[in-house]
Amino acid sequence: MNMPVRTRIAPSPTGAPHVGTAYMALFNLAFARKNGGQMILRIEDTDQSRSSNESETAIMESLQWLGIEWDEGPDKDGKFGPYRQSERKNIHAQHVQILRDKGHAYPCFCTANRLKDVRSEQMAKKETPRYDGHCLHLSQEEVENKITAGEKFVIRLKVPTDGECCFTDELRGEVKIDWKQIDHQILQKSDGYPTYHLANVVDDHLMRITHVIRGEEWISSTPKHVLLYKYFDWDTPIFAHLPLLRNPDKSKLSKRKNPTGINYYRDAGFLPEVISNYLGTMGYTLPDQREIFSIEELTQSFDIRRVSLGGPIFDLAKLKWLNGRYLREKLSEKEVVERMIDWKINSGFIQKIIPHALQRLENFSDFMPLSGFLFQDYPELELSSLIGKFDASDASKLIKTCEWELEKLAPWNRHQICKLFQNLAEKEDKKLKEILPLFFQVISGESVSLPLFDSIEILGPDLARLRLRKALEFLTSEGFGLSKKGLKSLEKDYRQKYGDRID
RNA sequence: GUCCCGUUCGUCUAGCCAGGUCAGGACACCGGGUUUUCAUCCCGGCAACAGGGGUUCGAAUCCCCUACGGGACGCCA
């Protein structure tokens, strides 16, 4: 019997839509379509504390913006729903029970502190850190007593004590990992929700996923998944681990070093079809090596075996060049105008600006010089105007602190932004008036411009945050950046004054 | 630290699976031409098989070792 090819993209709704998600989605889509199958979108929201509806919506909208379409998902019902893992909690719990009944999983009562100690001890002894099996040997009676006493517990996966796990990666061939390297993975958290590993395997099976195409970061936990399929007595899907997108320094693509938000590219004025085209060139070339192609063209000739395994660096310069070619070659002048109107050259956007610009206008021609920075990717900076009365290294610290704060800001509106800066001034023991000129410069590149908080709101999170980063980069290039040590002590300081969370 | 994955111009890559063309294209960069400037466009240039050992008449291509890079090691995904 030939099963229809089904792939899936399984984002976690815990933040802004990420280009890495789009990258994986694109290849999953191309593969499924090429083979006459379907791609499904499944929301992996098993982390109750971090998942949000806003993020889920934003991710779906961003993928749609890029022209990536799924055949089944939370908004598009199919035969295998629901497509949101939080709505499948019972299904997961039942499957955890099956494993417990079969003796493949067991409850564990260890505290976070004990686990931490065990881990550091193992690291010190140069062993691979993993659960030591402390609760594995608890008797039935002990377990029941602890549970009735109301002790919190998790469910762990039993892992073979010796031998090795061998699985096939479609792109890399046989991969072998010692079972000794594999942790007794938690399958169900103490809040009753499953972890990724359990939910992922159960849902992939139930949703008839035939090919798991995902990031390289998952290779080392694949044995856990293989083991789960075996314990459930299910066929394993075919695995293909794609390389990870990289920063220019080759580390995994991260927002500290590169814009990673899909919305950044939208707000900075890139065409969605250029983004998906460019992502399609990451680790992949069409057989005829053409570099301008649509998702449909990518799909038509798609061959997953052509994926090259070295981690591709996301190169903004080439992306810009590609966008320029689309503007000149793929669109008519009329279309370019239309697309610009869709972007920001429209009355809706200008209306947002007018209330703040009006007091400063004498004639219309004053408008563009005043508000031009709201249409820019980022402004050019000049050292002495940027730092003003500040010491340059103090400015770096302040900007970095503000970046961390802005990273956590939600919802993104004037009121919250205002509060953020008031708080910043207070915590830094400065007057609001003293710190604002710096941020006027960071955001607008000008000393005369529109009101700061409104400008930041209009700019949106992706562009605003980028400007802080650009300012920091600029200060670094001028020799006033934060040293590694300085950053570390600033971070410590920050956690004390502003709370432990850094996004 | 342990394990896993990877390694062709600075960057994206073709070629590798089925060993045998000056290792090809694109971005960036440099130079020249077109253009009243700039940009576009055209032409040219720079520039790579990580290192070592095997197998072979012959290795970027197959095998082994080393180095380097990355990832994973969470009650995150």
Side-chain angles (χ1 to χ4, degrees):
Chain A
M1 185 181 67
N2 246 352
M3 299 271 282
V5 165
R6 284 167 66 84
T7 64
R8 53 35 169 207
I9 169 80
S12 169
T14 52
H18 195 280
V19 288
T21 306
Y23 178 54
M24 292 303 154
L26 181 66
F27 282 71
N28 270 279
L29 177 67
F31 181 82
R33 288 279 161 83
K34 167 70 185 177
N35 293 287
Q38 300 102 37
M39 177 179 79
I40 73 164
L41 170 73
R42 184 174 68 225
I43 298 294
E44 308 235 331
D45 56 350
T46 52
D47 185 340
Q48 283 298 285
S49 60
R50 297 202 306 154
S51 298
S52 76
N53 292 331
E54 294 72 41
S55 172
E56 179 186 312
T57 309
I59 289 168
M60 301 205 322
E61 284 174 357
S62 295
L63 292 175
Q64 278 159 349
W65 179 70
L66 289 172
I68 292 168
E69 291 169 349
W70 46 96
D71 299 290
E72 296 163 31
D75 60 334
K76 212 169 184 182
D77 215 3
K79 281 188 282 184
F80 306 96
Y83 295 93
R84 208 177 270 119
Q85 284 186 328
S86 57
E87 294 166 17
R88 305 173 63 82
K89 200 178 166 190
N90 290 337
I91 299 172
H92 301 131
Q94 283 163 22
H95 284 85
V96 169
Q97 193 55 49
I98 292 172
L99 292 174
R100 288 181 71 179
D101 292 345
K102 287 179 160 180
H104 297 315
Y106 63 96
C108 164
F109 301 87
C110 292
T111 61
N113 270 341
R114 195 186 98 78
L115 296 174
K116 216 169 113 192
D117 291 346
V118 171
R119 226 170 271 141
S120 42
E121 203 175 300
Q122 287 167 329
M123 292 271 247
K125 281 196 289 186
K126 302 189 178 187
E127 290 168 6
T128 299
R130 71 199 286 255
Y131 184 63
D132 63 354
H134 186 75
C135 291
L136 184 56
H137 311 292
L138 255 32
S139 71
Q140 188 71 34
E141 201 185 332
E142 284 171 302
V143 167
E144 273 163 30
N145 286 342
K146 278 172 181 289
I147 293 177
T148 36
E151 270 192 55
K152 289 255 184 195
F153 66 98
V154 300
I155 304 296
R156 284 181 185 275
L157 174 70
K158 268 192 204 173
V159 175
T161 44
D162 38 40
E164 60 184 11
C165 175
C166 181
F167 64 92
T168 306
D169 179 286
E170 192 66 0
L171 305 173
R172 298 154 212 268
E174 304 261 287
V175 178
K176 288 178 182 168
I177 299 175
D178 252 318
W179 285 120
K180 283 203 175 55
Q181 298 297 326
I182 309 302
D183 202 4
H184 289 201
Q185 181 59 48
I186 292 178
L187 301 175
Q188 191 174 73
K189 312 174 213 178
S190 55
D191 65 3
Y193 277 89
T195 56
Y196 167 84
H197 305 279
L198 187 278
N200 180 262
V201 165
V202 169
D203 290 347
D204 279 349
H205 174 76
L206 263 21
M207 294 180 180
R208 307 273 196 276
I209 300 304
T210 56
H211 298 256
V212 171
I213 302 169
R214 60 188 356 170
E216 197 176 15
E217 60 205 307
W218 294 108
I219 293 179
S220 31
S221 39
T222 302
K224 295 168 187 172
H225 307 161
V226 169
L227 191 59
L228 282 169
Y229 282 104
K230 193 177 146 207
Y231 283 165
F232 282 122
D233 211 16
W234 294 337
D235 287 337
T236 49
I238 290 165
F239 294 104
H241 292 96
L242 266 28
L244 260 21
L245 261 22
R246 311 284 188 93
N247 296 313
D249 68 359
K250 304 229 183 212
S251 56
K252 170 167 141 179
L253 192 69
S254 66
K255 63 183 171 192
R256 295 268 173 260
K257 297 174 183 170
N258 222 0
T260 57
I262 297 171
N263 292 342
Y264 160 74
Y265 296 93
R266 181 196 63 196
D267 296 347
F270 287 89
L271 299 169
E273 60 268 43
V274 172
I275 307 299
S276 35
N277 185 159
Y278 182 67
L279 289 175
T281 68
M282 298 274 85
Y284 192 74
T285 356
L286 300 214
D288 64 4
Q289 290 203 61
R290 90 190 95 147
E291 40 200 357
I292 296 202
F293 52 83
S294 64
I295 295 180
E296 288 67 36
E297 290 173 289
L298 172 71
T299 299
Q300 274 164 24
S301 63
F302 190 73
D303 174 7
I304 199 164
R305 289 177 169 278
R306 289 186 63 85
V307 170
S308 62
L309 265 16
I313 292 170
F314 193 92
D315 181 15
L316 271 169
K318 191 151 184 179
L319 177 65
K320 284 183 183 172
W321 163 79
L322 192 63
N323 203 65
R325 280 196 65 176
Y326 266 71
L327 256 21
R328 270 173 260 118
E329 294 171 28
K330 301 287 281 186
L331 301 181
S332 65
E333 285 183 8
K334 185 162 172 274
E335 285 168 327
V336 171
V337 171
E338 285 165 2
R339 303 291 288 265
M340 278 177 72
I341 290 172
D342 285 346
W343 176 62
K344 284 179 185 173
I345 317 295
N346 56 59
S347 60
F349 191 71
I350 292 170
Q351 261 171 42
K352 280 197 221 167
I353 306 172
I354 282 296
H356 316 296
L358 209 47
Q359 302 90 316
R360 297 165 171 83
L361 293 187
E362 290 177 322
N363 55 16
F364 297 148
S365 46
D366 294 335
F367 182 75
M368 281 318 285
L370 204 55
S371 61
F373 74 98
L374 293 172
F375 296 86
Q376 275 179 316
D377 188 350
Y378 50 87
E380 199 150 316
L381 300 172
E382 193 268 314
L383 186 63
S384 67
S385 341
L386 171 64
I387 60 174
K389 289 176 185 161
F390 274 92
D391 172 78
S393 347
D394 289 345
S396 285
K397 286 185 196 163
L398 200 54
I399 293 167
K400 188 71 203 173
T401 306
C402 183
E403 189 196 343
W404 279 325
E405 280 291 273
L406 229 33
E407 210 69 70
K408 298 192 281 194
L409 191 74
W412 190 269
N413 61 42
R414 195 209 124 90
H415 179 66
Q416 296 295 323
I417 294 163
C418 178
K419 268 172 50 186
L420 184 153
F421 278 95
Q422 280 169 344
N423 182 249
L424 186 69
E426 194 181 311
K427 294 259 162 66
E428 298 304 319
D429 208 22
K430 297 257 188 325
K431 290 211 172 82
L432 191 60
K433 257 174 92 164
E434 292 176 83
I435 65 167
L436 287 191
L438 175 66
F439 291 102
F440 267 103
Q441 283 286 337
V442 170
I443 294 297
S444 70
E446 314 274 345
S447 37
V448 189
S449 73
L450 304 177
L452 183 65
F453 306 150
D454 299 289
S455 299
I456 293 177
E457 183 188 326
I458 292 168
L459 227 32
D462 290 79
L463 283 178
R465 287 169 191 153
L466 176 80
R467 290 178 189 202
L468 297 203
R469 246 193 51 221
K470 284 286 174 189
L472 240 22
E473 271 172 26
F474 172 70
L475 284 168
T476 303
S477 74
E478 296 285 322
F480 301 109
L482 293 157
S483 64
K484 224 172 185 170
K485 226 168 141 188
L487 183 65
K488 215 158 190 180
S489 84
L490 184 68
E491 191 177 318
K492 202 175 151 194
D493 217 41
Y494 176 84
R495 287 182 198 276
Q496 258 174 24
K497 287 200 270 189
Y498 296 85
D500 213 27
R501 190 182 130 203
I502 288 183
D503 284 0

